[in-house]
Amino acid sequence: MRRRDDPRRAAQVAENVEIGRAVQAVPEAELLDLPQMMQRAVFITEGKRVAILPTEAATGHRPCVMTLDEFTETYIASGELRPVGGQQRWVCFTDLWRRTQQRLTVHNVTMAIGRSRLWHDASEYQALNLWTPTERARPRDGWQQLSRRFWEHLAYLVPCPDDLARFRSWLAHCEQMPQVLPHHGYLMFTESFGIGRNWLASVLVRVWRGEVAASVNLPSLIHSDFNGELGGKRMAIVDEVYINDSGRSRYAVENRLRQLITEERREINPKYGRKYVEWNCLRWLLFSNHMDAIPMPAHDRRFAVISNPTKQQPASYYAELYKLLEDQEFIAAVAYDLAQTDISSFNPGAHPPLNDAKQKVIDATTPELERELAAVVAKWQAPVAATSDLLRSCGLDPADGKGASHFVIAMRRGKHIRLGDQRIKIGGKRERLWLLAGQAAPADAAAAVKAYRDAPWFIELTDGF
């Protein structure tokens, strides 16, 4: 069984990271005549920069952005001798380009995968979209046979046919409509190592070369101010995630994950370079060897969950798979297959299914206090409850601040509503009252509390306190 610290696997992961970063830009040292410069050089007013657009033949290549001084020096040889004052003098096309009103000018740059070259940044100024589409040419005859190997392995990783069909559509949607962000990503888990998920990641980074953030360190990303690795990506792959926490940070992580998936636009802040705003189209694919890999509330709508197999295939099976990564025709066949897959029935806004695998993750990551509260509320026979009474019913001492530290968060997650901003005096003590989910507020909440405290069902729930 191949472990995470296996040197060969580490080399494969490192290669995937490099391929995911392999953004191709147009050559900087080419000569341009004046018509070409007028057509391809774009002045960016913010930062006094210049972008050189790729030619139509440079499929997938992004514009090369440089400072105005770098542009002038790089293309200093692009010019011609012209008669000036009776003499032949060298005139740089960069000078002529700078002084003409016909040059292309934008306010800023952005990254908007799947959208047109001229787009709008967060301030709605016209911006230059750095993304360039990759044209999918039809592979040689027999490409279906090549791509079938990819789908066969995917069927092994995703043994449930319904899950497999949805995941295939999710991948194809990423290829065909990258600008439309689905409302959920995917979490795959299994206790076994070496079943071939890294190979799946290796194929995807090659299909979308330069547009996949591979081997993302999710905990580091969540707590860092820098997110440059996400810039210009349509997919982020996390090799081994385990960030579940039963403390207060659990909720912060959960909120940050939700933000990463759902935000319409995000500011990209690389460690080295200028910040810019891009339109979020990033899909998340998470792998883990832990069922409780990430905090997942009962009402989660951000992740579909797949339980991978625990039994490995023979070594020869994986040897054949990894040979395919060296075959460019195989990668082209998979890409073309994704481009041709029918996604007419795929709804990117649909909620992920609550299958057995997802329920296991929810159960494994639900904090103990939330589980206890849900069990208590299921037996509660009054529309309102005092905080101290709920805590006692959960077996906690209201005077123990540690035990009650997450109570408010747990109640709100259960859709319960706190009544008023002030505590109400009941039986000589001031109490915080809650209206339980789905209940109608009584005319006198304090009286309702006094009534249920004498009821047999409540005495039974709080036995021992």
Side-chain angles (χ1 to χ4, degrees), residues 225-271:
D225 293 330
F226 302 106
N227 61 353
E229 63 185 309
L230 303 184
K233 309 303 182 187
R234 68 173 75 193
M235 181 173 288
I237 300 177
V238 183
D239 293 330
E240 173 54 43
V241 59
Y242 185 71
I243 54 177
N244 189 33
D245 190 329
S246 60
R248 183 172 292 274
S249 62
R250 176 189 194 276
Y251 302 105
V253 167
E254 186 181 316
N255 290 334
R256 180 61 180 136
L257 271 175
R258 186 184 304 112
Q259 181 187 20
L260 285 171
I261 293 175
T262 61
E263 57 191 351
E264 181 181 13
R265 290 177 286 200
R266 67 163 57 98
E267 183 179 69
I268 297 299
N269 182 21
K271 278 191 175 181

Side-chain angles (χ1 to χ4, degrees), residues 92-105:
C92 289
F93 294 146
T94 56
D95 292 334
L96 299 177
W97 171 85
R98 290 180 64 184
R99 289 168 171 77
T100 179
Q101 294 182 343
Q102 282 71 46
R103 74 179 183 189
L104 295 172
T105 300

